[in-house]
């Protein structure tokens, strides 16, 4: 099974990426195929509500932009888990993560729930507040798509502001490491 780690931060090497790199290291130590995909800062549009995906049922969105190859990867059969990472700027996910949630979710639901049974996990980086709103927004996406949600020893949150700050959040680092171990455990159970 492959794991996709989606960086919803426009800061390609910021603290959200640092959290995903912590997870990547644990996945690789356990010989799990993992890939980090850059979502934040790409050319991506929100859902237009045209419902073409419901009419064509071809696992595609008519808005052919930089989200298309990421969406294609999410729908592959060998993907067993999707982790969505987002910083919190104004008490919620980034605009790119919201566009991902709306468009990927709509296309998935239109195509017989093709994300069903893939494991999902949110990763949220914040400075002071709003993290639980972003955490919930990502979990709603997993819930409506019938994706089991992986948990950790605490909510999957990291406290950081400037690049490199996440390394000082020991509890956050431990939370992301344990989250990764729990995803691996769930992947092993799904294989049975």
């Amino acid at each position: 099974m492959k794991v996709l780690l989606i960086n919803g931060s426009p800061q390609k090497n910021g603290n959200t990426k640092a959290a995903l790199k912590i997870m990547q290291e644990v996945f690789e130590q356990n010989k799990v195929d993992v890939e980090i995909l850059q979502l934040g800062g790409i050319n991506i549009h929100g859902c237009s509500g045209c419902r073409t995906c419901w009419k064509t049922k071809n696992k595609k969105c008519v808005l052919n932009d930089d989200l298309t190859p990421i969406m294609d990867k999410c729908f592959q059969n060998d993907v067993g888990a999707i982790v969505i990472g987002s910083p919190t700027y104004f008490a919620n996910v980034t605009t790119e993560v919201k566009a991902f949630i709306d468009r990927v979710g709509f296309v998935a639901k239109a195509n017989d729930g093709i994300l069903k049974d893939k494991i999902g996990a949110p990763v949220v980086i914040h400075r002071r507040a709003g993290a639980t709103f972003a955490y919930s927004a990502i979990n709603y996406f997993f819930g409506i798509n019938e994706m089991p949600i992986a948990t950790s020893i605490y909510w999957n949150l990291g406290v950081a502001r400037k690049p490199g700050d996440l390394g000082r959040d020991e509890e956050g680092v431990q939370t992301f490491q344990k989250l990764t171990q729990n995803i691996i455990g769930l992947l092993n159970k799904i294989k049975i």
Side-chain angles (χ1 to χ4, degrees):
M1 289 280 182
K2 184 172 190 173
V3 176
L4 299 178
L5 306 176
I6 298 174
N7 183 9
S9 174
Q11 305 300 319
K12 292 181 183 178
N13 292 304
N15 288 298
T16 304
K17 174 81 171 275
L20 297 176
K21 292 289 281 178
I22 290 166
M23 297 181 71
Q24 181 182 31
E25 288 174 18
V26 177
F27 280 124
E28 288 175 348
Q29 288 167 0
N30 287 274
K31 307 213 181 328
V32 175
D33 187 12
V34 61
E35 180 179 3
I36 297 178
L37 302 172
Q38 184 62 37
L39 179 68
I42 66 172
N43 178 25
I44 179 174
H45 302 281
C47 180
S48 66
C50 70
R51 300 186 64 83
T52 301
C53 56
W54 287 88
K55 295 170 191 159
T56 62
K57 305 223 182 259
N58 66 0
K59 301 180 190 172
K60 298 285 182 193
C61 176
V62 296
L63 299 175
N64 190 13
D65 57 16
D66 292 345
L67 180 60
T68 302
I70 293 172
M71 187 181 306
D72 291 344
K73 286 186 180 203
C74 290
F75 295 155
Q76 291 175 351
N77 290 333
D78 64 342
V79 171
I82 299 171
V83 175
I84 300 173
S86 180
T88 306
Y89 296 146
F90 285 89
N92 214 321
V93 296
T94 61
T95 55
E96 295 93 341
V97 171
K98 181 60 174 137
F100 173 94
I101 286 170
D102 290 348
R103 287 179 52 202
V104 173
F106 226 142
V107 173
K109 294 297 283 181
N111 286 275
D112 300 319
I114 55 178
L115 292 175
K116 184 180 186 302
D117 297 328
K118 293 180 189 289
I119 297 162
V123 165
V124 176
I125 304 300
H126 67 107
R127 182 180 69 87
R128 295 186 74 120
T132 56
F133 291 109
Y135 185 83
S136 295
I138 297 169
N139 275 335
Y140 288 136
F141 167 77
F142 296 136
I144 199 166
N145 282 292
E146 301 177 74
M147 299 170 70
I149 299 169
T151 59
S152 186
I153 52 177
Y154 193 75
W155 298 303
N156 312 331
L157 311 175
V159 179
R161 181 177 181 212
K162 297 177 184 170
D165 281 355
L166 183 65
R168 290 189 286 280
D169 178 12
E170 290 181 32
E171 185 178 17
V173 170
Q174 291 170 356
T175 297
F176 298 133
Q177 290 168 335
K178 182 62 175 174
L179 172 63
T180 309
Q181 293 166 355
N182 288 346
I183 292 171
I184 292 167
L186 288 169
L187 285 170
N188 288 331
K189 288 182 172 134
I190 289 172
K191 286 182 186 178
I192 298 173

